Amino acid sequence: HAGDEGGMMHGISAMSGTFAELTDWAVPYAASGAISAGAYTDYSSNTVFFGDATGRVYAVLEDKTDMAGFPLLMADASVINSVPLPTGGLIYIGNNNGKLFLIDESAASVYRTYNFGTGVKISSVAKDPDTSRILIGTDTGKVYYIAQDSDPTP
């Protein structure tokens, strides 16, 4: 899946690089604002996670309907900058104002927020497979590690 500056999320076939083979995504999903970061596709649940320039986080199901409670508008409505990382029942996603949000996927609500400083862009979020710690990359050149939280609503 790939988003564009017009706020459209497109389904693209990994096999051919075209839209044609993804019949469920032949018409793109319309977000509220420009999509400035990549999407994460969870193939086990057929859900596409992404954020947009209006500060909304989306969880779109295979039939292009929103997962219950989504999209979610984050508190400061800043541009969502990072590809989301869904793991352990939480979605980790960062914005361009120094905030990393941990969203409880099943409750569709913000569980915890980390603040890395006003104006800091959270550029990437990843999971260290050896330690299960979450790595947060910023535009300041620093990488932070935090412990992975447990699913608050298992």
Side-chain angles (χ1 to χ4, degrees):
H1 293 89
D4 64 30
E5 289 294 316
M8 303 302 277
M9 180 58 66
H10 304 273
I12 300 171
S13 169
M15 300 298 282
S16 68
T18 68
F19 301 111
E21 294 176 20
L22 296 176
T23 55
D24 291 338
W25 285 79
V27 175
Y29 176 91
S32 294
I35 301 167
S36 56
Y40 179 92
T41 303
D42 181 346
Y43 291 102
S44 66
S45 67
N46 290 321
T47 306
V48 180
F49 298 94
F50 63 95
D52 72 13
T54 67
R56 286 177 172 76
V57 175
Y58 298 82
V60 181
L61 303 173
E62 184 176 27
D63 63 0
K64 286 199 301 191
T65 59
D66 295 314
M67 182 182 285
F70 287 88
L72 278 176
L73 179 61
M74 298 298 98
D76 68 357
S78 293
V79 174
I80 299 297
N81 263 33
S82 72
V83 173
L85 173 67
T87 184
L90 293 168
I91 303 164
Y92 295 76
I93 194 164
N95 72 9
N96 71 349
N97 200 26
K99 294 199 173 61
L100 175 73
F101 300 100
L102 282 62
I103 299 169
D104 181 339
E105 186 176 334
S106 60
S109 63
V110 175
Y111 170 67
R112 177 171 292 155
T113 303
Y114 289 92
N115 191 345
F116 293 92
T118 303
V120 172
K121 292 180 182 172
I122 307 294
S123 54
S124 60
V125 183
K127 181 178 175 182
D128 181 331
D130 295 328
T131 66
S132 292
R133 291 191 300 174
I134 305 299
L135 294 78
I136 299 98
T138 68
D139 69 341
T140 64
K142 294 182 181 177
V143 176
Y144 297 90
Y145 290 85
I146 60 172
Q148 180 178 338
D149 277 77
S150 299
D151 185 351
T153 54

